[in-house]
Amino acid sequence: MQKAIISVKNLVKNYGSFQAVKGISFDVYEGEIFGLLGPNGAGKSTTLEIIETLRTKTSGDVTVCGLDLDKHPEDIKKLIGVQLQTSGFYPGLSLVELIELFAGLYNQPVDPAELLKLVNLADKAKSKYKEMSGGQKQRFSIATTLINKPKIIFLDEPTTGLDPQARRNLWELITNIRAQGATVILTTHYMDEAEQLCDRIAIMDEGKIISLDSPDKMIDDLVQSGFERPRQVKAANLEDVFIHLTGKEMRDE
Ligand code: ADP
């Protein structure tokens, strides 16, 4: 039996007369990588920001690590790590200075060198944030979510805009974070990413969850229903060609 670390029941969010989230219910299990997928405007960010205590809900019940969101938002904040928009970092500070700044805000002792090593940026400790490549900035922003040693980490489109090597590198990082015991919730528009990374996914559309299962089960169910791809799938795709030609190693170091 899996243990729910997040429990959402009948969650509703109205913006004026517009209902962005229409009474959704789902659990996220402890230790899983959970994906929230759906077209733009589906209500993903609204849902996540409510769970992150950053937005108010209209109605419904949310429990995080056994704590009621209405009663213990401050305690919940201490148990979660939220990836900030990378534009929020001071560009002229070094990575170590930025980590120390955040550690001060969280009032948490932290070893910047150890944290940077975890995200493969140890040799960039003294470099300024603005000197980082896109992949390095993303890895750094994930490092900042780990400062308060959270039980749950929220990642919003962590690999958007990255090249295939940097995306694979981030998948590895996210898998490592989970291996250390954290639960990860992420949004992505990349279906290959969801398939590779997520134990379970919820697909949202127009404020509702229209499917929730493991990627494997969803694909099997579709095939079972008689679905066939219009043409024979090749044994490789263009991304395989790209990685085969250019290699797996990171280029932004
Ligand atoms: P997603 O993350 O899936 O793209 P959002 O949660 O950002 O979806 O948005 C869901 C819907 O709610 C969209 O139609 C969006 O325009 C609307 N919305 C989001 N934030 C606000 C807001 N602060 N005020 C009014 N409408 C909003």
Side-chain angles (χ1 to χ4, degrees):
M1 184 67 190
Q2 303 257 35
K3 193 177 152 210
I5 194 162
I6 294 174
S7 192
V8 174
K9 293 210 167 60
N10 305 319
L11 179 67
V12 172
K13 176 66 181 182
N14 296 337
Y15 293 113
S17 60
F18 174 71
Q19 193 161 67
V21 177
K22 299 179 174 141
I24 60 169
S25 300
F26 64 98
D27 285 346
V28 176
Y29 300 144
E30 192 164 14
E32 75 176 339
I33 301 180
F34 186 90
L36 198 52
L37 314 187
N40 287 331
K44 304 179 299 293
S45 306
T46 300
T47 302
L48 289 187
E49 286 176 20
I50 290 168
I51 301 170
E52 292 161 1
T53 77
L54 301 176
R55 224 176 256 241
T56 57
K57 59 184 165 61
T58 303
S59 63
D61 296 308
V62 178
T63 312
V64 180
C65 300
L67 299 165
D68 185 328
L69 183 81
D70 295 328
K71 294 187 191 130
H72 305 285
E74 293 308 315
D75 293 325
I76 291 175
K77 271 187 195 136
K78 288 181 195 146
L79 297 172
I80 64 174
V82 178
Q83 186 180 13
L84 300 169
Q85 290 303 313
T86 50
S87 55
F89 297 129
Y90 293 104
L93 293 185
S94 74
L95 301 194
V96 167
E97 287 166 337
L98 281 167
I99 289 175
E100 283 169 347
L101 181 71
F102 282 112
L105 293 176
Y106 286 124
N107 200 13
Q108 278 279 336
V110 69
D111 180 349
E114 194 187 318
L115 197 58
L116 289 173
K117 196 166 145 226
L118 189 70
V119 296
N120 206 6
L121 287 172
D123 54 340
K124 299 283 174 188
K126 295 203 170 69
S127 304
K128 291 189 169 61
Y129 178 74
K130 65 182 175 198
E131 295 161 0
M132 300 292 112
S133 71
Q136 290 167 340
K137 282 180 178 162
Q138 283 288 16
R139 292 211 298 283
F140 181 71
S141 87
I142 291 178
T144 64
T145 70
L146 302 174
I147 288 175
N148 61 336
K149 301 179 187 69
K151 286 192 186 307
I152 309 171
I153 289 151
F154 294 83
L155 304 175
D156 194 4
E157 297 187 27
T159 67
T160 294
L162 299 184
D163 68 38
Q165 283 88 357
R167 290 182 66 217
R168 279 169 165 66
N169 189 278
L170 263 176
W171 293 352
E172 208 179 305
L173 171 61
I174 293 166
T175 311
N176 288 344
I177 290 170
R178 187 266 291 278
Q180 296 184 12
T183 303
V184 180
I185 303 181
L186 56 87
T187 62
T188 181
H189 287 303
Y190 299 116
M191 295 305 123
D192 60 333
E193 179 161 296
E195 199 178 333
Q196 280 272 331
L197 265 186
C198 297
D199 299 299
R200 293 189 310 144
I201 54 179
I203 300 182
M204 273 190 92
D205 197 17
E206 297 181 350
K208 292 190 191 137
I209 291 180
I210 51 174
S211 187
L212 195 165
D213 219 320
S214 68
D216 227 30
K217 178 76 171 33
M218 282 190 189
I219 294 165
D220 286 350
D221 285 352
L222 182 65
V223 172
Q224 281 278 312
S225 75
F227 176 88
E228 275 181 51
R229 282 204 173 181
R231 65 190 163 91
Q232 186 64 36
V233 182
K234 294 182 185 178
N237 62 23
L238 188 58
E239 180 146 327
D240 296 326
V241 174
F242 182 89
I243 292 284
H244 182 72
L245 291 173
T246 62
K248 279 205 170 71
E249 71 277 9
M250 296 286 290
R251 297 301 170 76
D252 59 1
E253 310 291 321

